[in-house]
Amino acid sequence: MAFDPAASSAEAFDPRIDGPWTHRDLAANGARFHIAELGEGPLVLLVHGWPQFWWTWRHQLTALAAAGYRAVAVDLRGVGGSDRTPRGYDPSNMALDLTGVIRSLGVADATLVGHDWGGFLAWTAAAMRPALVRRLVVVSSAHPRSLRRSLLRDRRQIVAAEHLLGFQRPWVPERQLAAGDAALVAQYLRDWTGPGRQPSEKELLTYRQAMMLSNTRHCSIEPYRWLMRSMGRPDGFQFARRMDRKLRVPTLHVHGENDPVLLPETALGSGAYVDAPYDWRPLDGIGHYPHEEEPDAFSDLLLEWLKTRQ
């Protein structure tokens, strides 16, 4: 499928992709956030990772709604249809974005489902605002302290996260991501997906177009700049101390055994930070995107777990 450069412009691509869901904007934590919403019932807030946006949860939105849940997929700060603010991309503030969205949706609490960086933020939100997180589902992500430890000590994880080191250069990563109408995004998605189910050209085109939206390239990698640069700074030590607490919320931890970005060994120790029912579910043959590589199987796993933890 040929890539149309004109179609990648911010004027041509609308991240509010049509479907059975409803799109709207919410005010939370000093910014405006775009959500896609479907269904009625207990709230399940779905949080995407990189280099994606709310659309990564399209399969789960319909599955959750059909099962009697109010499913909401949010665009993180700086991505998709949400505000591109000049600052505020540290995990503490972005976790407050999520809990602010929960409040703006008018409910007392929610099940929080996060993938990749969205999972990192889900861990953080559950630690910072435990009253607002009823249940936690983490996909292809490690507890913040487990990730920090591995990025400092585990050579295999450091090599696997080589792209994060590349993000630390000023402006060069933004230009690389823009080159060839975000061709690098397609390469990452192919390389990080398991061998069984590669993304389609249509899916790759959608994510490439989303990355080409105004200032998305800069905003979407700012959290990773904070992650790496804060390792030896006071704010990084303060965040690590804040995360050194037990979560008292039922947690489902899903991870592809073939994940080349966040190694299963890095994620495996995260259960040490959960003082509640904790279910570790490794998936054979799956890479970094379980919810897209095997959407039906992932949705069935999620719904079955939610049913047992009502």
Side-chain angles (χ1 to χ4, degrees), residues 24 26 35 37 43 45 70 72 101-107:
R24 61 189 177 107
L26 298 174
I35 65 166
E37 182 176 16
L43 176 62
L45 183 62
R70 181 187 182 188
V72 174
V101 166
I102 292 172
R103 289 195 178 101
S104 292
L105 288 167
V107 297

Side-chain angles (χ1 to χ4, degrees), residues 18 52 66 86 108 144 150 165 183 197-198 216 252 257 280 285:
D18 289 340
Q52 301 175 306
S150 292
L165 300 177
R197 194 269 193 188
Q198 283 286 299
T216 298
L252 171 64
E257 291 189 341
W280 166 256

Side-chain angles (χ1 to χ4, degrees), residues 178-193:
D181 296 301
L184 190 57
V185 167
Q187 179 180 325
Y188 281 138
L189 289 168
R190 290 192 188 100
D191 291 347
W192 298 348
T193 297

Side-chain angles (χ1 to χ4, degrees), residues 241-254:
R241 287 194 297 270
R242 181 178 293 172
M243 292 300 103
D244 190 19
R245 63 184 67 176
K246 298 285 188 179
L247 301 184
R248 292 177 173 82
V249 56
T251 301
L252 171 64
H253 198 171
V254 181

Side-chain angles (χ1 to χ4, degrees), residues 16-224:
R16 293 167 171 80
I17 297 171
D18 289 340
W21 38 74
T22 299
H23 295 282
R24 61 189 177 107
D25 295 328
L26 298 174
N29 197 28
R32 178 187 57 84
F33 295 90
H34 163 250
I35 65 166
E37 182 176 16
L38 184 65
E40 298 181 358
L43 176 62
V44 180
L45 183 62
L46 303 156
V47 191
H48 66 85
W50 192 89
Q52 301 175 306
F53 64 115
W54 75 268
W55 190 71
T56 189
W57 298 111
R58 60 198 179 280
H59 305 291
Q60 286 69 47
L61 281 170
T62 54
L64 285 163
Y69 293 94
R70 181 187 182 188
V72 174
V74 62
D75 277 330
L76 289 173
R77 179 183 295 258
V79 176
S82 294
D83 277 350
R84 276 88 166 137
T85 58
R87 59 189 61 86
Y89 296 95
D90 61 280
S92 295
N93 190 65
M94 295 185 77
L96 294 179
D97 291 344
L98 301 182
T99 55
V101 166
I102 292 172
R103 289 195 178 101
S104 292
L105 288 167
V107 297
D109 56 29
T111 296
L112 201 51
V113 182
H115 169 257
D116 184 76
W117 183 252
F120 190 101
L121 298 179
W123 285 114
T124 306
M128 293 179 60
R129 297 291 187 269
L132 292 174
V133 181
R134 174 180 294 187
R135 290 165 294 196
L136 180 64
V137 181
V138 181
V139 187
S140 306
S141 184
H143 186 275
R145 286 184 65 92
S146 295
L147 180 59
R148 175 187 174 87
R149 183 167 53 250
S150 292
L151 288 175
L152 288 171
R153 303 176 184 175
D154 186 342
R155 182 175 295 275
R156 291 183 65 243
Q157 181 58 69
I158 293 169
V159 171
E162 184 179 8
H163 63 290
L164 300 185
L165 300 177
F167 287 166
Q168 306 312 307
R169 297 167 294 172
W171 299 114
V172 173
E174 286 89 340
R175 290 196 292 268
Q176 291 177 330
L177 285 170
D181 296 301
L184 190 57
V185 167
Q187 179 180 325
Y188 281 138
L189 289 168
R190 290 192 188 100
D191 291 347
W192 298 348
T193 297
R197 194 269 193 188
Q198 283 286 299
S200 69
E201 289 300 315
K202 180 180 179 180
E203 291 166 338
L204 294 174
L205 175 61
T206 300
Y207 289 123
R208 291 171 70 182
Q209 290 174 319
M211 186 60 72
M212 293 301 292
L213 289 170
S214 176
N215 218 29
T216 298
R217 295 172 297 286
H218 174 70
C219 294
S220 70
I221 63 177
E222 279 293 275
Y224 298 109

